[in-house]
Every structure is written in structure tokens, then in C-alpha cells.
Amino acid sequence: QAVLTQPSSLSASPGASASLTCTLRSGINVDTYRIYWYQQKPGSPPHYLLRYKSDSDKQQGSGVPSRFSGSKDASANAGILLISGLQSEDEADYYCMIWHSSAWVFGGGTKLTV
Amino acid sequence: QLQLQESGPGLVKPSETLSLTCTVSGGSISSSSYYWGWIRQPPGKGLEWIGTIYYSGNTYYNPSLKSRVTISADTSRNQFSLKLSSGTAADTAVYYCARHPALEAAGTGYYYGMDVWGQGTTVTVSS
């Protein structure tokens, strides 16, 4: 079982909100991890959006709009990237990442269609 | 404004060593506030961290690649480099260099994830 699991795709309408999940493998407690989120558009490098561990330990990437926010769902053992007020330019692949077992580990990515 | 630029051969023969350099401009790799890393992405696939270096030479490698990876830094040129030995087709990927902010200063080995990335360079391993 992969350390981080992301849905392969998600579709949402312009102006709506999208909740992208990053589920940690059973036995790995989401509470103890900083979860990072990256956006990648075709032909471009990943772009750092934010990191989230808790409301007191979080950081927004430089220039990243506040409509991108992070949270956790402890009951689902998952990190969440919430994108509100979806715009066509938000259409991209989104990757989550954590530091686990002495390595930076990425999720498989979610392709968001707007 | 910080910029990172990857460079190196775009084609490597199987069993040979893949060598890439990342040139940093608009900032110094000798800063105690940052670490510097390599990440790759095979065609149509996800991201894989390769390793990270602090300017003093402390290195941190992905355990899955550790036996084949060497990352070094040249502070006089403001560059850091990647060598991946015994290349195979599975090493064909876009290779990115990136910056990691330090969680604590003075190279204690605690650092955050990547916050600034280079544009990437494509490396193909093929005869």
C-alpha cells in the first residue's frame, strides 16, 4: 500500500470549491505530519502552494492566493487541499508530500479538471 | 529573484552515469537558511525525491536510490550537482533541482519541503 494515496482525478465547476484529499497509509498518523501541496501544469515544474500541519504550524507559498488552503481530516487520516472559487487556471495536477522514513514521499497526484 | 537552472546531457547510455548541475542565481547556496535538492519525474508519472544537500556537504538521499546517487556542492560556482550511476531506462525522466528552507540553521539536518523549483531538464537513458 502506498504511503500517500490521492484520487487520480477530480472534476468541479468554475466558481465552486474543490476538496483534494491525500490519505496516509494505515498506521501513519496524519496528526504528526506536515503535508505539502504542489500544483503542476503541463510542461511546467511543480509550484509550491502551501504546507499544513495544524492551524499554528502552516505556511502559504509566496504569492499563492488565500483561496488555496490546507487542513486535515483526522477521521479519514487525510490531508486536504481546499480550493475555493475555482477558476479555469486551477486546472492542473496536484501533488501532496510528506517526510516519512527518512525520505520525502509524494502522492500519485490528482488531475483537477475545471 | 531566486532562479535555479538545471543543465547536463540529455542522452545517457545504459550503464553509464547521469550527471547534472543546478546553477543558482539570485541567492547563495552557502546560505545557512537553505538546503538544495534533486527531484525527478518519469514521463507521464509522478514525482520522486532523489536527495538533498547542505552547502557544507551534508547529504540526505532517498533510501531507494542511495547506492547509486552522489550529490555535491561547489560554493565557488554557486552550483550543486547530481550523479546517478548505472543508468537504466527507468532513470529516464525530467530532473528538477529545488530549494528547501532550513527548519533550523547551521545544518542540523532539519529542513522543510521544496519551495522553489527549477524548470527541469529531460534526460533519456538509451543506447
Side-chain angles (χ1 to χ4, degrees):
Chain A
Q1 186 183 12
V3 173
L4 299 175
T5 300
Q6 299 181 251
S8 58
S9 63
L10 181 66
S11 183
S13 301
S17 295
S19 181
L20 284 70
T21 59
C22 175
T23 303
L24 279 65
R25 184 174 66 196
S26 178
I28 305 172
N29 186 348
V30 69
D31 285 344
T32 62
Y33 288 88
R34 290 186 179 94
I35 300 183
Y36 297 76
W37 289 95
Y38 297 89
Q39 176 194 67
Q40 186 178 33
K41 297 182 179 180
S44 294
H47 175 62
Y48 171 60
L49 294 174
L50 58 90
R51 70 169 186 259
Y52 184 90
K53 182 177 183 180
S54 65
D55 285 344
S56 60
D57 184 350
K58 62 182 181 180
Q59 184 199 50
Q60 199 79 353
S62 176
V64 176
S66 59
R67 58 193 189 83
F68 290 84
S69 62
S71 66
K72 291 179 179 178
D73 182 347
S75 65
N77 202 35
I80 297 171
L81 175 68
L82 179 67
I83 310 173
S84 58
L86 277 168
Q87 301 175 3
S88 58
E89 66 202 51
D90 298 331
E91 186 161 295
D93 293 329
Y94 290 84
Y95 292 92
C96 60
M97 182 186 77
I98 64 171
W99 174 255
H100 174 69
S101 295
S102 301
W104 293 104
V105 178
F106 291 91
T110 295
K111 182 176 182 60
L112 176 64
T113 301
V114 179
Chain B
Q1 180 182 357
L2 183 76
Q3 290 189 314
L4 295 87
Q5 181 65 59
E6 305 86 352
S7 60
L11 181 64
V12 175
K13 288 183 168 52
S15 80
E16 294 188 347
T17 295
L18 180 161
S19 297
L20 296 174
T21 296
C22 181
T23 301
V24 178
S25 58
S28 173
I29 69 165
S30 301
S31 168
S32 61
S33 297
Y34 300 105
Y35 290 63
W36 306 92
W38 288 97
I39 305 94
R40 69 180 182 179
Q41 185 171 33
K45 296 187 178 181
L47 299 160
E48 180 179 35
W49 172 68
I50 300 170
T52 295
I53 189 167
Y54 190 65
Y55 77 94
S56 63
N58 293 349
T59 51
Y60 312 87
Y61 296 142
N62 189 327
S64 69
L65 295 169
K66 187 173 183 176
S67 64
R68 297 196 294 133
V69 174
T70 302
I71 297 176
S72 59
D74 184 340
T75 55
S76 66
R77 296 186 177 189
N78 216 34
Q79 296 175 332
F80 61 104
S81 298
L82 167 69
K83 291 187 185 300
L84 182 63
S85 64
S86 306
T88 71
D91 296 316
T92 294
V94 176
Y95 285 76
Y96 298 102
C97 58
R99 184 184 78 174
H100 300 263
L103 196 156
E104 299 176 357
T108 56
Y110 293 96
Y111 55 99
Y112 292 107
M114 313 85 177
D115 68 343
V116 179
W117 296 60
Q119 286 298 306
T121 188
T122 299
V123 178
T124 301
V125 179
S126 175
S127 55

